[in-house]
Amino acid sequence: MTFTHPAIDIRLEPEFGLNCIYFSFKGKFTKDASEEATKYWSGLFDSNQDISYQFIWDCTQMSGFEPSARSIWYGAMKKHKSRINHVTIISPSILIRGAARVMMEVFGVKSRMLRSMEELKALA
């Protein structure tokens, strides 16, 4: 399972846990990227309805996001929130971590905020 787009890559990442989906955001996250990516990972949820997942959002290369991209992502999160066990957000940007923290609180999903991949690897 791999999805590639200029603004995001998605893959299963068993190194960090069973049913872990790793998202690598690059540059500005656009409406187009959000539409394609959410369609992809929502399809995974829809085709494996008995599985819950954990997410890793690697935002270390993300420069920002369009509000419309966030709205689309919110819609997919709302649909699948009961099957998302945990989200780890990685970003050196306090603004990106803050926006992600608000999103996790809105959906009631457990989360952890990290500044670098090194922090995540130290926890693994």
Side-chain angles (χ1 to χ4, degrees):
M1 180 205 113
T2 302
F3 171 85
T4 301
H5 182 281
I8 185 171
D9 293 328
I10 304 171
R11 69 178 184 271
L12 285 175
E13 189 56 75
E15 174 186 352
F16 296 113
L18 185 63
N19 300 321
C20 178
I21 303 176
Y22 179 87
F23 300 78
S24 178
F25 296 88
K26 303 170 283 184
K28 187 169 188 175
F29 193 53
T30 63
K31 179 182 177 187
D32 173 66
S34 188
E35 287 173 340
E36 290 186 37
T38 55
K39 183 178 179 180
Y40 180 77
W41 69 262
S42 287
L44 177 67
F45 274 64
D46 293 340
S47 64
N48 297 292
Q49 295 193 9
D50 58 335
I51 297 174
S52 293
Y53 295 90
Q54 64 175 317
F55 288 171
I56 296 174
W57 294 351
D58 182 353
C59 304
T60 56
Q61 297 178 33
M62 178 188 242
S63 60
F65 53 87
E66 295 176 353
S68 56
R70 183 175 57 189
S71 295
I72 293 164
W73 202 265
Y74 266 43
M77 290 287 294
K78 183 177 180 180
K79 179 180 177 184
H80 299 294
K81 71 179 182 178
S82 66
R83 294 182 41 220
I84 302 170
N85 293 332
H86 187 273
V87 179
T88 299
I89 296 95
I90 305 165
S91 177
S93 167
I94 193 167
L95 296 175
I96 291 173
R97 288 193 316 269
R101 184 181 310 276
V102 168
M103 184 186 299
M104 296 304 101
E105 289 177 12
V106 165
F107 292 111
V109 174
K110 294 179 186 176
S111 64
R112 154 176 66 195
M113 305 292 155
L114 304 175
R115 293 181 183 179
S116 69
M117 279 300 292
E118 289 73 26
E119 287 183 53
L120 179 63
K121 290 177 182 176
L123 296 171

